[in-house]
Amino acid sequence: MADNPSAPLSSSPDSSAHARQRRRRIGLVIALAAVVVLVLLSAFVWPHWAVRSQQPDAQAQSSASSRPSQASPKTTAAPLPDSASELLKAMPDTVGGFARVKADSDSEWSTRTPIEEYSLVYSTGRSGGDVTLHLAQWSRSEDAKALYDSQSTGMSGKELASGKVRSGGTVTGSYLEKADGDDEHKALVIWQNDTVVFRAQGQRTALEAFYKAFPL
């Protein structure tokens, strides 16, 4: 019989085996390529994500380290006399890094007839770290406000801060801080809290640290 040129040639066993080997090699190359991609991702993408996720914590630590220190006072608070009034006893022994080192009766505002009046000194134990606190109490908040208005109006110097005093969410008075008209490094702040008026003065840095931490 003569050969038919148009008839398909049958596959030999050798050609089939070669085809299978070629497919395995292609699969191996694809698998290796996938491994390389994963390695690149782990080396360049994931570490960057980890760095970003840590940034807020680093910023929080930086912010915390920049806050003013609430260190204990370098000096010991002087005890109050046994006869101290309830108002005087309400004055804190320490305020942040300050300790009360002196407490005396006073009469600077006596013409305004307060019930009681005192002058206190709080100190950090370091040079320039003393703050003098003057306070008095009236039976009516209106009388305390009248003294506050008179004192705040008479303060000279550049205004540094002002606002409302609140207690338990209720407005109980106002405050005003001004630079000392004769010394830009010193300042004075006065505030009313219901029936009591406070006035503090000292070096500006020490004064602001004191009155912002004062509990009353």
Side-chain angles (χ1 to χ4, degrees), residues 179-193:
D180 189 309
D182 299 322
D183 188 341
E184 62 180 6
H185 299 295
K186 294 182 179 180
L188 182 150
V189 60
I190 186 168
W191 70 98
Q192 176 205 354
N193 188 348

Side-chain angles (χ1 to χ4, degrees), residues 47-189:
H48 284 264
W49 174 85
V51 170
R52 287 196 298 270
S53 69
Q54 292 170 2
Q55 284 176 350
D57 291 339
Q59 291 173 352
Q61 293 172 0
S62 175
S63 175
S65 65
S66 65
R67 294 184 187 126
S69 172
Q70 295 299 319
S72 300
K74 301 294 183 182
T75 187
T76 304
L80 294 173
D82 295 336
S83 59
S85 69
E86 292 304 313
L87 174 62
L88 193 54
K89 289 178 181 178
M91 295 302 104
D93 291 341
T94 61
V95 179
F98 298 81
R100 186 195 62 245
V101 295
K102 187 177 181 182
D104 295 319
S105 297
D106 210 314
S107 58
E108 180 182 344
W109 297 335
S110 60
T111 57
R112 295 280 182 169
T113 61
I115 298 172
E116 49 190 319
E117 183 178 0
Y118 303 98
S119 179
L120 287 68
V121 176
Y122 283 84
S123 176
T124 61
R126 295 184 296 269
S127 176
D130 289 2
V131 171
T132 300
L133 178 68
H134 198 91
L135 67 139
Q137 183 174 34
W138 287 260
S139 59
R140 303 187 313 158
S141 60
E142 292 85 354
D143 294 330
K145 185 178 184 306
L147 184 280
Y148 169 82
D149 290 342
S150 173
Q151 288 285 303
S152 59
T153 301
M155 289 168 60
S156 61
K158 177 183 177 182
E159 181 176 322
L160 302 175
S162 62
K164 299 296 184 182
V165 173
R166 297 177 183 275
S167 177
T170 302
V171 174
T172 56
S174 303
Y175 75 93
L176 173 65
E177 179 192 2
K178 284 193 172 184
D180 189 309
D182 299 322
D183 188 341
E184 62 180 6
H185 299 295
K186 294 182 179 180
L188 182 150
V189 60

